[in-house]
Amino acid sequence: MIASLAVTAETSLRLDLPDDAVDEPAEQLPVIDVSRLPGAAIAPRRGFQSAGEGGAALRALCVTAPSDRWAPGVEELVLERASGLARGALGGEVTRFDLGALDRSGPRFTQRFEGSVLRGGAPWSARGQHLLGFSGEARTAVLCSVVCVEPGAAAKRCDARMESLRAEGAWTSAPPPSLAVRAILFTAERPALGVGMAGALALAIVALVLWRRPRPRW
């Protein structure tokens, strides 16, 4: 059974689900707090459970946010945080969690992972993938983690489901850093020159404020 989960108005995730899959109750899914990130939203946050495949489960968690704070290199930090969330989505005692290499070759950043978890003392295997990209003309930042877990040491069904995972729609390239971000990066690379430029910029702002200030009438 194929499911298409809308992420933004322009993009979606295509998942291959078991034919007998049913939605997991929302209260059983990991909680994501984006209250400290201006403009961020959670969509989708879905889980699917199968009774016919020994209780195998597939979860998809996505967060969208404005990309005005984007800068090269941020993807590694973002995916590191996503891995922490994915560990919590495995639903048990995690005994192994291995990250694959970060793939920068396509229009999106992707990273696969696999692991093992104990549920009620029984071994379960896990497969998953992180996806970081940008959606539509606004280049909205999108971070998704898809996790599949199944009973036993071999994740044959989850391997197949991860291979069939598709990101569809109007995905775009990463936006260029904003003026403020470029200034921060420039200062980090050339601290002495950056301090001088920051001082000159501050003087220019002060001069502009003084020039625009209403002059007293004598």
Side-chain angles (χ1 to χ4, degrees):
M1 179 172 64
I2 301 301
S4 182
L5 305 184
V7 180
T8 68
E10 301 89 359
T11 56
S12 62
L13 291 181
R14 178 182 180 273
L15 305 178
D16 181 13
L17 304 177
D19 290 337
D20 63 346
V22 295
D23 280 270
E24 281 192 270
E27 59 271 16
Q28 294 183 8
L29 298 175
V31 177
I32 310 173
D33 183 8
V34 296
S35 60
R36 297 184 179 181
L37 184 58
I42 300 171
R45 177 176 167 262
R46 298 282 299 277
F48 304 91
Q49 188 80 31
S50 168
E53 292 187 4
L58 189 71
R59 289 174 169 177
L61 309 169
C62 294
V63 175
T64 64
S67 59
D68 55 336
R69 299 182 183 181
W70 172 258
V74 172
E75 65 274 8
E76 295 182 3
L77 176 61
V78 171
L79 293 178
E80 179 182 343
R81 299 290 179 86
S83 293
L85 178 63
R87 288 176 64 97
L90 299 184
E93 180 187 349
V94 180
T95 58
R96 181 176 64 89
F97 190 88
D98 298 326
L99 284 171
L102 176 57
D103 186 355
R104 297 179 170 90
S105 61
R108 296 169 295 276
F109 302 99
T110 59
Q111 187 175 36
R112 294 194 177 190
F113 56 89
E114 60 181 54
S116 302
V117 62
L118 291 177
R119 289 184 172 184
W124 286 57
S125 55
R127 297 290 186 271
Q129 181 172 313
H130 300 314
L131 180 152
L132 174 62
F134 302 89
S135 169
E137 294 184 3
R139 293 183 177 180
T140 301
V142 176
L143 172 64
C144 291
S145 293
V146 179
V147 179
C148 178
V149 292
E150 62 179 299
K156 296 181 179 179
R157 297 187 184 94
C158 285
D159 280 336
R161 302 208 186 285
M162 287 299 103
E163 289 297 329
S164 64
L165 174 65
R166 295 289 183 273
E168 300 179 328
W171 295 90
T172 59
S173 59
S178 66
L179 179 60
V181 171
R182 289 200 300 269
I184 293 172
L185 294 174
F186 185 87
T187 302
E189 293 175 357
R190 301 183 181 181
L193 184 56
V195 170
M197 291 186 64
L201 180 60
L203 289 175
I205 293 174
V206 171
L208 179 62
V209 171
L210 292 176
W211 178 75
R212 293 176 61 91
R213 186 179 61 182
R215 291 175 172 76
R217 296 184 179 181
W218 300 94

